[in-house]
Tab-separated table of all heavy atoms in Angstrom:
chain	number	residue	atom	x	y	z
A	1	ILE	N	25.198	110.516	38.777
A	1	ILE	CA	24.359	109.270	38.962
A	1	ILE	C	22.842	109.841	38.946
A	1	ILE	O	22.002	109.121	38.515
A	1	ILE	CB	24.701	108.536	40.159
A	1	ILE	CG1	23.917	107.218	40.258
A	1	ILE	CG2	24.513	109.257	41.497
A	1	ILE	CD1	24.354	106.093	39.460
A	2	GLY	N	22.673	111.030	39.501
A	2	GLY	CA	21.377	111.534	39.627
A	2	GLY	C	20.654	111.860	38.302
A	2	GLY	O	19.478	112.141	38.236
A	3	ASN	N	21.499	111.886	37.221
A	3	ASN	CA	20.916	112.093	35.939
A	3	ASN	C	20.260	110.921	35.271
A	3	ASN	O	19.625	111.062	34.203
A	3	ASN	CB	22.034	112.702	34.982
A	3	ASN	CG	22.587	114.064	35.475
A	3	ASN	OD1	21.862	114.748	36.148
A	3	ASN	ND2	23.813	114.427	35.017
A	4	LEU	N	20.490	109.721	35.864
A	4	LEU	CA	19.938	108.496	35.251
A	4	LEU	C	18.584	108.287	35.743
A	4	LEU	O	18.133	107.197	36.347
A	4	LEU	CB	20.811	107.345	35.664
A	4	LEU	CG	22.327	107.467	35.127
A	4	LEU	CD1	23.207	106.285	35.585
A	4	LEU	CD2	22.446	107.806	33.607
A	5	THR	N	17.651	109.255	35.471
A	5	THR	CA	16.313	109.202	35.985
A	5	THR	C	15.355	108.150	35.479
A	5	THR	O	14.284	107.879	35.850
A	5	THR	CB	15.663	110.556	35.767
A	5	THR	OG1	15.704	111.001	34.423
A	5	THR	CG2	16.352	111.662	36.671
A	6	SER	N	15.866	107.463	34.370
A	6	SER	CA	15.079	106.421	33.768
A	6	SER	C	15.239	105.022	34.536
A	6	SER	O	14.493	104.136	34.391
A	6	SER	CB	15.358	106.017	32.290
A	6	SER	OG	15.159	107.212	31.536
A	7	LEU	N	16.282	105.047	35.398
A	7	LEU	CA	16.484	103.739	36.147
A	7	LEU	C	15.321	103.391	37.043
A	7	LEU	O	14.722	104.166	37.771
A	7	LEU	CB	17.777	103.935	37.044
A	7	LEU	CG	18.987	103.963	36.346
A	7	LEU	CD1	20.170	104.047	37.349
A	7	LEU	CD2	19.266	102.661	35.501
A	8	THR	N	14.905	102.120	37.009
A	8	THR	CA	14.060	101.543	37.904
A	8	THR	C	14.728	100.393	38.792
A	8	THR	O	14.231	100.164	39.891
A	8	THR	CB	12.892	100.792	37.281
A	8	THR	OG1	13.339	99.802	36.365
A	8	THR	CG2	11.988	101.821	36.465
A	9	GLU	N	15.861	99.888	38.287
A	9	GLU	CA	16.685	98.910	39.073
A	9	GLU	C	18.098	99.323	39.011
A	9	GLU	O	18.686	99.504	37.861
A	9	GLU	CB	16.371	97.538	38.556
A	9	GLU	CG	15.041	97.061	38.683
A	9	GLU	CD	14.810	95.627	38.235
A	9	GLU	OE1	15.864	94.814	38.285
A	9	GLU	OE2	13.709	95.311	37.937
A	10	LEU	N	18.788	99.347	40.104
A	10	LEU	CA	20.237	99.613	40.136
A	10	LEU	C	20.867	98.711	41.092
A	10	LEU	O	20.568	98.709	42.322
A	10	LEU	CB	20.449	101.126	40.642
A	10	LEU	CG	21.888	101.598	40.840
A	10	LEU	CD1	22.676	101.469	39.539
A	10	LEU	CD2	21.836	103.008	41.275
A	11	ASP	N	21.773	97.906	40.651
A	11	ASP	CA	22.529	96.898	41.470
A	11	ASP	C	24.026	97.406	41.655
A	11	ASP	O	24.750	97.290	40.690
A	11	ASP	CB	22.406	95.498	40.906
A	11	ASP	CG	22.890	94.437	41.871
A	11	ASP	OD1	23.546	94.770	42.883
A	11	ASP	OD2	22.569	93.286	41.725
A	12	LEU	N	24.329	97.752	42.844
A	12	LEU	CA	25.739	98.187	43.188
A	12	LEU	C	26.341	97.268	44.296
A	12	LEU	O	27.306	97.590	44.845
A	12	LEU	CB	25.701	99.638	43.703
A	12	LEU	CG	25.180	100.653	42.788
A	12	LEU	CD1	24.926	102.038	43.476
A	12	LEU	CD2	26.216	100.931	41.706
A	13	SER	N	25.787	96.040	44.384
A	13	SER	CA	26.233	95.310	45.486
A	13	SER	C	27.626	94.748	45.195
A	13	SER	O	28.078	94.638	44.019
A	13	SER	CB	25.207	94.071	45.645
A	13	SER	OG	25.068	93.331	44.448
A	14	SER	N	28.355	94.318	46.161
A	14	SER	CA	29.755	93.801	46.063
A	14	SER	C	30.686	94.716	45.338
A	14	SER	O	31.438	94.370	44.402
A	14	SER	CB	29.720	92.487	45.384
A	14	SER	OG	28.859	91.583	46.119
A	15	ASN	N	30.682	95.923	45.821
A	15	ASN	CA	31.724	96.945	45.341
A	15	ASN	C	32.395	97.449	46.605
A	15	ASN	O	32.464	96.619	47.616
A	15	ASN	CB	31.068	98.140	44.543
A	15	ASN	CG	30.684	97.774	43.124
A	15	ASN	OD1	31.640	97.830	42.322
A	15	ASN	ND2	29.547	97.470	42.864
A	16	GLN	N	33.001	98.565	46.541
A	16	GLN	CA	33.738	99.025	47.711
A	16	GLN	C	33.350	100.538	48.034
A	16	GLN	O	34.020	101.319	48.413
A	16	GLN	CB	35.187	99.058	47.415
A	16	GLN	CG	35.850	97.661	47.134
A	16	GLN	CD	37.219	97.694	46.765
A	16	GLN	OE1	38.027	98.598	47.023
A	16	GLN	NE2	37.713	96.636	46.167
A	17	LEU	N	31.969	100.686	47.889
A	17	LEU	CA	31.502	101.935	48.110
A	17	LEU	C	31.417	102.269	49.614
A	17	LEU	O	31.182	101.502	50.382
A	17	LEU	CB	30.032	102.055	47.624
A	17	LEU	CG	29.807	101.781	46.035
A	17	LEU	CD1	28.375	101.782	45.694
A	17	LEU	CD2	30.521	102.967	45.261
A	18	THR	N	31.843	103.500	49.983
A	18	THR	CA	31.823	103.933	51.411
A	18	THR	C	30.785	105.026	51.573
A	18	THR	O	30.332	105.299	52.794
A	18	THR	CB	33.189	104.562	51.692
A	18	THR	OG1	33.508	105.530	50.887
A	18	THR	CG2	34.264	103.492	51.628
A	19	ALA	N	30.271	105.650	50.546
A	19	ALA	CA	29.176	106.623	50.651
A	19	ALA	C	28.452	106.690	49.377
A	19	ALA	O	28.880	106.218	48.275
A	19	ALA	CB	29.742	107.968	51.063
A	20	LEU	N	27.224	107.292	49.389
A	20	LEU	CA	26.396	107.582	48.276
A	20	LEU	C	26.198	109.109	48.097
A	20	LEU	O	26.024	109.751	49.117
A	20	LEU	CB	25.019	106.913	48.279
A	20	LEU	CG	24.974	105.425	48.329
A	20	LEU	CD1	23.580	104.860	48.621
A	20	LEU	CD2	25.699	104.816	46.999
A	21	PRO	N	26.313	109.571	46.904
A	21	PRO	CA	26.185	111.074	46.724
A	21	PRO	C	24.589	111.429	47.001
A	21	PRO	O	23.738	110.641	46.656
A	21	PRO	CB	26.518	111.311	45.289
A	21	PRO	CG	26.246	110.047	44.587
A	21	PRO	CD	26.557	108.943	45.617
A	22	PRO	N	24.347	112.611	47.443
A	22	PRO	CA	22.929	113.003	47.738
A	22	PRO	C	22.161	112.974	46.412
A	22	PRO	O	20.937	112.821	46.551
A	22	PRO	CB	23.063	114.496	48.186
A	22	PRO	CG	24.459	114.662	48.517
A	22	PRO	CD	25.278	113.588	47.900
A	23	GLU	N	22.726	113.092	45.322
A	23	GLU	CA	21.986	113.022	43.994
A	23	GLU	C	21.371	111.703	43.749
A	23	GLU	O	20.472	111.577	42.854
A	23	GLU	CB	22.938	113.353	42.834
A	23	GLU	CG	23.419	114.815	42.753
A	23	GLU	CD	24.595	115.039	43.790
A	23	GLU	OE1	25.171	114.255	44.430
A	23	GLU	OE2	24.928	116.264	43.891
A	24	ILE	N	21.651	110.721	44.538
A	24	ILE	CA	20.993	109.399	44.347
A	24	ILE	C	19.442	109.485	44.611
A	24	ILE	O	18.711	108.845	44.138
A	24	ILE	CB	21.603	108.265	45.336
A	24	ILE	CG1	21.233	106.881	44.852
A	24	ILE	CG2	21.142	108.592	46.797
A	24	ILE	CD1	22.240	106.309	43.998
A	25	GLY	N	19.144	110.609	45.376
A	25	GLY	CA	17.766	110.996	45.622
A	25	GLY	C	16.972	111.392	44.468
A	25	GLY	O	15.715	111.372	44.407
A	26	ASN	N	17.614	111.681	43.319
A	26	ASN	CA	17.000	112.040	42.092
A	26	ASN	C	16.395	110.850	41.363
A	26	ASN	O	15.572	111.017	40.427
A	26	ASN	CB	17.907	112.894	41.093
A	26	ASN	CG	18.444	114.127	41.698
A	26	ASN	OD1	17.770	114.633	42.626
A	26	ASN	ND2	19.494	114.648	41.102
A	27	LEU	N	16.770	109.631	41.741
A	27	LEU	CA	16.286	108.577	41.184
A	27	LEU	C	15.059	108.033	41.638
A	27	LEU	O	14.852	106.975	42.254
A	27	LEU	CB	17.403	107.439	41.236
A	27	LEU	CG	18.827	107.719	40.779
A	27	LEU	CD1	19.641	106.706	40.880
A	27	LEU	CD2	18.740	108.250	39.333
A	28	THR	N	14.046	108.878	41.436
A	28	THR	CA	12.722	108.687	42.058
A	28	THR	C	11.914	107.531	41.520
A	28	THR	O	10.952	107.071	42.086
A	28	THR	CB	11.824	109.890	41.944
A	28	THR	OG1	11.721	110.273	40.549
A	28	THR	CG2	12.452	111.162	42.732
A	29	GLY	N	12.328	106.967	40.327
A	29	GLY	CA	11.642	105.815	39.648
A	29	GLY	C	12.286	104.495	40.183
A	29	GLY	O	11.701	103.436	39.833
A	30	LEU	N	13.236	104.520	41.016
A	30	LEU	CA	13.772	103.289	41.382
A	30	LEU	C	12.786	102.377	42.257
A	30	LEU	O	12.125	102.960	43.190
A	30	LEU	CB	15.048	103.569	42.396
A	30	LEU	CG	16.355	103.807	41.805
A	30	LEU	CD1	17.391	103.998	42.804
A	30	LEU	CD2	16.818	102.795	40.725
A	31	THR	N	12.699	101.063	41.898
A	31	THR	CA	11.860	100.226	42.608
A	31	THR	C	12.776	99.235	43.342
A	31	THR	O	12.334	98.486	44.239
A	31	THR	CB	10.962	99.511	41.677
A	31	THR	OG1	11.659	98.870	40.713
A	31	THR	CG2	9.917	100.431	41.152
A	32	GLU	N	14.026	99.145	42.899
A	32	GLU	CA	15.033	98.284	43.502
A	32	GLU	C	16.439	98.858	43.477
A	32	GLU	O	16.879	99.361	42.453
A	32	GLU	CB	15.038	96.922	42.776
A	32	GLU	CG	16.010	95.893	43.288
A	32	GLU	CD	15.910	94.518	42.602
A	32	GLU	OE1	14.816	94.212	42.055
A	32	GLU	OE2	16.912	93.867	42.611
A	33	LEU	N	17.074	98.895	44.690
A	33	LEU	CA	18.489	99.373	44.875
A	33	LEU	C	19.146	98.326	45.703
A	33	LEU	O	18.791	98.249	46.901
A	33	LEU	CB	18.336	100.839	45.529
A	33	LEU	CG	19.727	101.329	45.858
A	33	LEU	CD1	20.517	101.585	44.568
A	33	LEU	CD2	19.553	102.795	46.625
A	34	ALA	N	20.118	97.705	45.162
A	34	ALA	CA	20.912	96.685	45.878
A	34	ALA	C	22.237	97.207	46.224
A	34	ALA	O	23.024	97.721	45.424
A	34	ALA	CB	21.137	95.443	44.943
A	35	LEU	N	22.526	97.300	47.454
A	35	LEU	CA	23.817	97.831	48.086
A	35	LEU	C	24.579	96.887	48.954
A	35	LEU	O	25.552	97.294	49.528
A	35	LEU	CB	23.366	99.100	48.899
A	35	LEU	CG	22.905	100.240	48.043
A	35	LEU	CD1	22.231	101.343	48.993
A	35	LEU	CD2	23.957	100.884	47.042
A	36	GLU	N	24.155	95.707	49.072
A	36	GLU	CA	24.709	94.820	50.047
A	36	GLU	C	26.202	94.543	49.582
A	36	GLU	O	26.640	94.731	48.511
A	36	GLU	CB	24.062	93.435	50.186
A	36	GLU	CG	23.944	92.760	48.902
A	36	GLU	CD	22.671	92.918	48.119
A	36	GLU	OE1	21.881	93.799	48.530
A	36	GLU	OE2	22.499	92.394	47.037
A	37	SER	N	27.014	94.259	50.598
A	37	SER	CA	28.515	93.870	50.490
A	37	SER	C	29.300	95.159	50.014
A	37	SER	O	30.047	94.896	49.119
A	37	SER	CB	28.700	92.622	49.620
A	37	SER	OG	28.134	91.467	50.203
A	38	ASN	N	29.015	96.196	50.564
A	38	ASN	CA	29.815	97.490	50.346
A	38	ASN	C	30.406	97.974	51.769
A	38	ASN	O	30.124	97.249	52.733
A	38	ASN	CB	28.968	98.559	49.743
A	38	ASN	CG	28.888	98.377	48.231
A	38	ASN	OD1	29.814	98.663	47.530
A	38	ASN	ND2	27.736	97.884	47.755
A	39	GLN	N	30.990	98.980	51.853
A	39	GLN	CA	31.442	99.579	53.186
A	39	GLN	C	30.823	100.806	53.513
A	39	GLN	O	31.399	101.733	54.047
A	39	GLN	CB	32.997	99.765	53.093
A	39	GLN	CG	33.841	98.482	53.095
A	39	GLN	CD	34.344	98.045	51.711
A	39	GLN	OE1	34.662	98.894	50.872
A	39	GLN	NE2	34.220	96.793	51.431
A	40	LEU	N	29.456	100.891	53.204
A	40	LEU	CA	28.716	102.015	53.524
A	40	LEU	C	28.610	102.221	55.014
A	40	LEU	O	28.312	101.246	55.819
A	40	LEU	CB	27.385	101.987	52.902
A	40	LEU	CG	27.238	101.894	51.406
A	40	LEU	CD1	25.791	101.591	50.874
A	40	LEU	CD2	27.722	103.187	50.800
A	41	THR	N	28.781	103.500	55.435
A	41	THR	CA	28.795	103.734	56.935
A	41	THR	C	27.451	104.639	57.167
A	41	THR	O	27.065	104.707	58.306
A	41	THR	CB	30.010	104.484	57.423
A	41	THR	OG1	30.155	105.660	56.576
A	41	THR	CG2	31.235	103.634	57.239
A	42	ALA	N	26.981	105.295	56.125
A	42	ALA	CA	25.842	106.066	56.251
A	42	ALA	C	25.112	106.227	54.825
A	42	ALA	O	25.784	106.066	53.880
A	42	ALA	CB	26.125	107.486	56.854
A	43	LEU	N	23.987	106.695	54.953
A	43	LEU	CA	23.119	106.890	53.663
A	43	LEU	C	22.685	108.326	53.708
A	43	LEU	O	22.324	108.855	54.807
A	43	LEU	CB	21.902	106.053	53.625
A	43	LEU	CG	22.187	104.486	53.559
A	43	LEU	CD1	20.927	103.727	53.487
A	43	LEU	CD2	22.948	104.186	52.200
A	44	PRO	N	22.649	108.994	52.541
A	44	PRO	CA	22.293	110.292	52.527
A	44	PRO	C	20.744	110.443	52.820
A	44	PRO	O	19.989	109.489	52.596
A	44	PRO	CB	22.461	110.919	51.134
A	44	PRO	CG	22.617	109.526	50.333
A	44	PRO	CD	23.110	108.487	51.283
């Protein structure tokens, strides 16, 4: 996921995610990240 460096918006809401990989930090161009309605217990 960290290779998608062109992303400015990423909507992952309403999935069953429990964690995010540290590589999510490579998405430095993101202006919007939607994560609601998942089972995340912590963020990297």
Side-chain angles (χ1 to χ4, degrees):
I1 186 83
N3 296 336
L4 304 179
T5 55
S6 296
L7 286 179
T8 58
E9 296 182 25
L10 177 58
D11 191 342
L12 296 166
S13 57
S14 299
N15 277 281
Q16 298 176 21
L17 297 172
T18 57
L20 295 177
E23 291 81 3
I24 199 92
N26 295 346
L27 305 180
T28 57
L30 279 183
T31 57
E32 184 177 326
L33 176 60
L35 295 169
E36 60 270 2
S37 298
N38 278 288
Q39 285 100 40
L40 295 170
T41 56
L43 296 175

